Amino acid sequence: MAVAFFLVGIGLCRLLPEFDGPARMVLAVTIAGIAGYLAFLMTIDVPMYLNRWRAKVADGSKLLRPLDGLRDVSTRWVVTHDLAEWKDEIAWMSLYFSVAVWSSLALCVVYRLLTQL
């Protein structure tokens, strides 16, 4: 996912000089958003999951094969309201379920206003 966003960001940077006015502003905001997302991935999200993986390997925990992992994720339903269980996930979930959703809605508005740009 990070590689895809990085490539999109490079493509948008190359397109930036071709546009003026509101379209250029939308491109600039998008590039800044991609840069922020990549910084978040590199500093918070990827290290968190890498540390979890390393801890499981160090504990000698048995890592699941892909099909076993799919079975596990489709059958494990534990509901918890304990904030301690979610503390590591709050950052990305908050960004995903707010910024990403509003960004996708903004794409619809931009598409609707495309004739005016």
Side-chain angles (χ1 to χ4, degrees):
M1 191 72 141
V3 173
F5 271 91
F6 182 71
L7 293 174
V8 168
I10 289 172
L12 293 178
C13 286
R14 298 215 35 190
L15 283 175
L16 193 60
E18 304 292 324
F19 291 91
D20 292 319
R24 187 179 184 125
M25 182 59 71
V26 168
L27 285 175
V29 168
T30 304
I31 291 167
I34 289 172
Y37 175 67
L38 291 174
F40 168 76
L41 279 179
M42 290 185 295
T43 59
I44 296 172
D45 207 38
V46 170
M48 176 184 67
Y49 288 111
L50 188 59
N51 288 336
R52 284 183 187 176
W53 176 74
R54 285 180 179 157
K56 283 191 180 257
V57 169
D59 286 348
S61 298
K62 181 182 174 192
L63 301 176
L64 298 176
R65 294 186 313 244
L67 287 177
D68 294 331
L70 286 173
R71 187 177 307 111
D72 182 62
V73 77
S74 68
T75 59
R76 185 181 305 245
W77 297 94
V78 178
V79 178
T80 179
H81 298 282
D82 183 11
L83 194 57
E85 293 287 330
W86 293 99
K87 69 179 177 66
D88 293 333
E89 314 294 336
I90 288 174
W92 78 263
M93 284 189 164
S94 297
L95 288 170
Y96 181 80
F97 290 109
S98 59
V99 175
V101 171
W102 285 108
S103 297
S104 67
L105 292 173
L107 287 173
C108 297
V109 172
V110 169
Y111 177 76
R112 179 76 172 132
L113 298 175
L114 194 57
T115 58
Q116 296 174 0
L117 293 175

